[in-house]
Amino acid sequence: MGFQLRYPWPDLDPDDVAAAAIAVRLDVTENKVEAAEHAHRKGQLVFALGGGVMCRVPNGLWMVPPHCGVWLPGGTRHANIATANARIFFVFIEPGAADLPDRCCTLSISPLLRELIIALSDRMQQDHGTETLVAQLLLSELPRMPLQQPSADEPRLRRIAAALADDPADRRTMAEWAERVALSESSLARLILRETGLTFGRWRQQLHLIVALRELSAGASVQQVSSELGYESVTAFITMFRKALGKPPAKYLSDIMQGGGSAFAAGG
């Protein structure tokens, strides 16, 4: 099952459009859908205004955090997975049109860049990808966005990350995960630290923060998010959130919406 396009030209091939940058908005109406694995000659930035999105690539699984986008260089085989009612923007960029990394990574999306992406997708409906000032501004702004922490490439960590992404409330211990991937607990601890720079607890917490920010941004209550993440109490969730990000959820989200703060990328 694929994404449900909201365009009069659903067979658009971005590689056939001559413009240096185009943006396409997709509205997902089904329950959790996945686009088949494919690749583009152009690079692709995946950005979401609502819902959850993941990008599956040969050497990793990338979650698209709130206020961030996942960058896929041209030629990268990938499958995009989205939750119901997701509002996704794909920005396709000609190779060499902007100074962007030659590997998959997560980029922060500033309020200005967000508005440029939205405006460029609106222009796409009007002029089908001809060069615009908006595209030029976007191409100059995008390389200024800071990179977030990279995803781990190691196959066993990808397996754990995929399971945690499907069920963030999973509370299996590191010893239990180690048994699942046929490692000793100490070997798994060293592997996670080497590949991500984080302890297992911090790595899992980072995923929880991404899910929490995504759900809170979509209007879920703190109580709902706390339950989804498997916390024993709302207080425990708020304490974790405050220790990690320096503010309670409501204050942090308020500051983010006004353009302040930062978001986290997923290790995995």
Side-chain angles (χ1 to χ4, degrees), residues 27-259:
D27 291 321
V28 177
T29 58
E30 302 289 343
N31 297 326
K32 189 177 182 181
V33 297
E34 178 170 352
E37 184 177 291
H38 61 287
H40 308 284
R41 177 179 57 79
K42 294 185 177 186
Q44 180 179 4
L45 180 72
V46 182
F47 169 64
L49 276 182
V53 187
M54 290 186 292
C55 302
R56 194 187 306 277
V57 298
N59 63 347
L61 179 69
W62 294 81
M63 290 188 69
V64 181
H67 316 289
C68 292
V70 169
W71 168 246
L72 307 171
T76 302
R77 295 202 63 79
H78 61 281
N80 297 307
I81 308 160
T83 60
N85 301 317
R87 297 175 59 208
I88 311 168
F89 291 83
F90 292 159
V91 183
F92 297 99
I93 299 175
E94 279 287 338
D99 185 15
L100 292 167
D102 59 1
R103 58 181 175 81
C104 296
C105 63
T106 306
L107 302 174
S108 292
I109 302 294
S110 67
L112 171 60
L113 185 56
R114 179 189 65 219
E115 295 306 315
L116 288 171
I117 291 171
I118 295 171
L120 189 60
S121 71
D122 290 341
R123 292 291 302 177
M124 187 67 191
Q125 297 185 68
Q126 300 170 21
D127 54 33
H128 291 245
T130 59
E131 292 291 353
T132 66
L133 176 59
V134 172
Q136 295 173 22
L137 291 172
L138 183 146
L139 290 171
S140 65
E141 182 72 9
L142 194 54
R144 302 177 185 177
M145 297 298 101
L147 275 64
Q148 303 295 320
Q149 180 175 330
S151 171
D153 293 340
E154 209 282 331
R156 288 162 293 190
L157 296 194
R158 293 205 311 268
R159 183 177 168 189
I160 297 173
L164 288 173
D166 286 340
D167 181 14
D170 191 323
R171 290 292 173 171
R172 270 178 281 196
T173 66
M174 186 163 63
E176 290 170 322
W177 282 114
E179 182 178 359
R180 181 172 176 178
V181 296
L183 286 174
S184 69
E185 184 175 359
S186 59
S187 294
L188 179 58
R190 288 194 297 270
L191 180 64
I192 293 173
L193 187 62
R194 184 180 74 238
E195 292 290 322
T196 71
L198 301 170
T199 64
F200 173 74
R202 283 287 296 160
W203 187 44
R204 179 160 59 184
Q205 182 188 78
Q206 216 177 48
L207 173 62
H208 282 180
L209 290 168
I210 291 170
V211 173
L213 287 168
R214 184 189 72 206
E215 296 302 316
L216 291 167
S217 298
S221 69
V222 173
Q223 290 83 355
Q224 289 170 324
V225 175
S226 173
S227 176
E228 180 178 347
L229 295 179
Y231 281 84
E232 295 182 356
S233 69
V234 174
T235 300
F237 167 67
I238 293 176
T239 298
M240 180 281 294
F241 195 101
R242 187 196 297 269
K243 286 183 177 179
L245 299 181
K247 303 172 186 176
K251 174 61 175 171
Y252 185 87
L253 190 66
S254 174
D255 290 347
I256 278 283
M257 292 304 185
Q258 296 171 16

